[in-house]
Amino acid sequence: SSGINAEWPLRPGCHPEVMYCLLHAPTSPCPTSKQTMKYRYTVEELKKLPQDVQKRIPEMREWTKEVSGMKGRSEKPLVEELDKLAERAVANKYIETDEYRELRSVIDKANQCIKVTNQLVAIKRRSSRVHNSSPALKISINELNSFLKQVTDLPCHVPDSALLQEHYVRIVDFTERCDRALNKNLTKVQYEEMLK
């Protein structure tokens, strides 16, 4: 980006802090002899820009190929791998493509799921050691099922999701056994035996 500014105390509007783009430079009240052109790139740097762009096109294509390849992997990538891809795009100043926006969206969703998973696993571990009648985070079986589906649908791996899935299966199994027990005429001993 380039611009014109000037300092000439006899004319209002002629001040170093006042800049005019090249398109509006002719409207400056300052005479041409008092104007200074400021630009970001030298002529030599401008000559190199097309070469730099040509060099970066294959790099960006390779990056896009890597992002697309993550979807087809048999083993889901870790969130850290996706983070590195996003960081590379920012560091190399790649243009913001649909692939980049989708990648950022997946990373954001995955980080949210990881946060909730960590909270649920921490509650489960605490409750297995100490009885806590009012955990910090309460969630119904249906909500847990919906959350697990959201985690499963992510194209990346969420740590501890398998542990959460096992916990969900045990909860469903326990609930079903409770329902069966309540629908039968059982003695207290038989009821407790059935729930073991």
Side-chain angles (χ1 to χ4, degrees):
S1 59
S2 305
I4 298 289
N5 78 342
E7 182 174 11
W8 199 40
L10 300 178
R11 291 276 180 90
C14 292
H15 193 275
E17 293 178 4
V18 177
M19 290 284 296
Y20 292 87
C21 69
L22 296 182
L23 183 64
H24 294 95
T27 65
S28 169
C30 306
T32 309
S33 61
K34 296 290 182 181
Q35 293 178 355
T36 305
M37 182 174 177
K38 297 191 174 182
Y39 48 90
R40 183 173 294 177
Y41 302 103
T42 64
V43 174
E44 288 304 313
E45 287 173 328
L46 287 172
K47 287 178 181 176
K48 289 179 182 177
L49 281 178
Q51 297 170 8
D52 291 341
V53 171
Q54 289 297 324
K55 181 184 174 185
R56 287 172 61 189
I57 287 173
E59 292 175 2
M60 189 166 176
R61 282 182 181 153
E62 182 60 31
W63 179 87
T64 304
K65 189 177 174 183
E66 282 184 56
V67 173
S68 301
M70 290 284 183
K71 298 174 186 175
R73 279 172 49 171
S74 55
E75 187 176 331
K76 289 184 178 182
L78 299 172
V79 182
E80 290 80 6
E81 292 179 69
L82 303 185
D83 272 327
K84 285 179 183 176
L85 279 171
E87 286 166 9
R88 204 167 96 206
V90 172
N92 293 331
K93 297 180 181 176
Y94 295 152
I95 58 171
E96 194 172 300
T97 59
D98 289 340
E99 287 82 6
Y100 177 78
R101 284 188 285 272
E102 186 182 351
L103 180 65
R104 282 276 15 134
S105 175
V106 168
I107 291 170
D108 291 342
K109 287 176 185 174
N111 284 329
Q112 289 172 5
C113 287
I114 289 170
K115 184 179 177 182
V116 174
T117 299
N118 289 342
Q119 288 176 323
L120 291 171
V121 169
I123 289 169
K124 194 241 177 241
R125 285 173 179 157
R126 277 200 308 271
S127 63
S128 63
R129 293 193 301 266
V130 180
H131 178 68
N132 185 0
S133 58
S134 56
L137 181 65
K138 292 183 179 181
I139 187 169
S140 69
I141 296 175
N142 288 338
E143 287 170 336
L144 181 57
N145 184 35
S146 296
F147 175 70
L148 284 169
K149 186 180 184 308
Q150 186 182 343
V151 169
T152 305
D153 290 344
L154 281 172
C156 59
H157 175 68
V158 173
D160 285 332
S161 57
L163 182 64
L164 211 56
Q165 181 68 43
E166 288 173 19
H167 186 51
Y168 170 74
V169 170
R170 284 198 296 271
I171 290 171
V172 171
D173 178 61
F174 178 76
T175 305
E176 288 174 351
R177 284 187 287 137
C178 284
D179 287 341
R180 286 198 301 271
L182 291 170
N183 288 329
K184 292 182 179 179
N185 256 335
L186 301 174
T187 64
K188 184 180 177 182
V189 175
Q190 289 173 318
Y191 180 75
E192 288 174 352
E193 188 64 32
M194 187 174 185
L195 295 181
K196 283 182 181 178

